[in-house]
Amino acid sequence: MVYDAVIVGGGIVGLATGLKILKSRPDLKIAILEKEAQLAQHQTANNSGVIHSGLYYKPGSLKATNCINGYHELVNFCQEEKIPFEITGKVVVATREEQKPLLETLLNRGLQNGLTGTRKITLEELKEYEPYCTGVAAIHVPQTGIVDYFQVALAYGRKIIQQGGAIFLEHKALGISQKDGISHIETSKGSFQAKLVINCAGLYSDKVARMNDAGVNDVKIIPFRGEYYKLKKEREYLVKNLIYPVPDPNFPFLGVHFTRMKKGGVEAGPNAVLAFRREGYKKSQINLGELAETLAWPGFQKVAGKYWKTGFGELYRSFSKTAFTKALQELIPEIQESDLVDGGAGVRAQACDRTGGLLDDFAIRESQYAINVLNAPSPAATSSLSIGGTVAEMALKRF
Ligand SMILES: Cc1cc2nc3c(=O)[nH]c(=O)nc-3n(C[C@H](O)[C@H](O)[C@H](O)COP(=O)(O)OP(=O)(O)OC[C@H]3O[C@@H](n4cnc5c(N)ncnc54)[C@H](O)[C@@H]3O)c2cc1C
């Protein structure tokens, strides 16, 4: 059988794409190939669970537009499908005087991105929102929420099946070739044929892009592990909802924060350290081949050369719970090392070009036989239905 489209990767982006295609064209034959025994086991199931508002992103960027559109679609989807979520709001807190202008810039960005109600708050108001948090200035973002993205992804999967799509678990795409206008996808459990391949392979999206005809050799995924601690149950009262620091404009994903999780508990983190394996959730997990590839990538060498101090700071905090606690104490001075227990980790797929740029925006690239989602880091879970819609539109033009 020749599928109209085969989607490689059953994470939240691949599933949202499948769902959007089937919503517009239920007659199309769509298959999703996922290498694991369950859907969405990587970035989607190991993230902070925040429904991002669109505060951080450059107005007009794909991140800004997809986050804002995706936010509304996600909230509607959760309401319709009865997936528990909460619009909690969050505070972003400057803890040092020099962060005040950055906080101001952030607020203006949020307003440019249409976040009405986002505003500067007084330090008294900060105490009302988060009684244990201290700082020198703060903003409140009412739109931010929390959800369990694994549950969202499973719901997308159920809808795909209801609408006639097929999901093949434990089917790892190993190679792709073209013959007579059709792509032949070799997997760990047999071969598939498709008119169009859609690559949503997350941490392996560059590898799958090299398999298809897109000729992508200018981008590599660099895996950054984000490690969390959890607050002990009896200290969860220290955090009401979500408390964020002012982000470093060079590394918006850095800066440990506090997040109340929809599935329960309060997480502190994540940091960002180079993972020695793409799916390396523990410090001890190393894949020498993958590590060598990362280290040999010219773009990574340039990033490492430029930002080695930041990298070492993150690494130090990864090995030293005392240092991690100290970073958290900037926001909540009362937090003690003994309040924190191990909270697991996620690995971010961050695309890096040859010349040393970490790709900031979402990146989708088309070729004759394929559409490749090459960079879908945070807020891609929030934005999933919008990114899925964008990819679906590209795909539907071909049918
Ligand atoms: C620590 C952390 C915190 C984050 N916090 C947030 C947040 O709070 N809010 C937010 O919006 N976003 C957040 N994100 C980002 C968000 O989780 C990701 O952007 C999103 O999950 C990406 O989805 P995906 O489908 O592209 O990737 P994934 O979920 O990684 O899915 C890719 C899938 O492809 C499969 N695959 C790979 N190779 C193959 C192959 N060869 N054959 C078959 N299948 C294959 C994998 O097994 C995987 O299931 C966070 C990410 C991390 C890591």
Side-chain angles (χ1 to χ4, degrees), residues 53-54 56-71 113 359-365 372-380 382-391 393-394:
S53 59
Y56 299 105
Y57 318 114
K58 203 164 145 198
S61 63
L62 288 177
K63 273 192 180 172
T65 48
N66 284 287
C67 184
I68 292 156
N69 297 337
Y71 173 99
N113 284 337
L359 268 59
D360 182 43
D361 211 356
F362 297 146
I364 305 169
R365 208 178 289 177
N372 293 283
V373 178
L374 290 175
N375 196 44
S378 185
T382 307
S383 320
S384 52
L385 287 170
S386 180
I387 300 175
T390 305
V391 178
E393 251 176 55
M394 290 172 164

Side-chain angles (χ1 to χ4, degrees), residues 203 220-224 274 294 297 300 348-352 358:
L203 283 152
K220 179 155 300 283
I221 292 292
I222 307 293
F224 286 101
L274 179 68
T294 298
W297 184 247
F300 173 74
R348 302 174 182 86
Q350 174 60 56
C352 177
L358 296 177

Side-chain angles (χ1 to χ4, degrees), residues 173-185:
L174 300 171
I176 302 171
S177 56
Q178 280 82 35
K179 201 173 162 212
D180 303 328
I182 299 292
S183 289
H184 295 250
I185 305 129

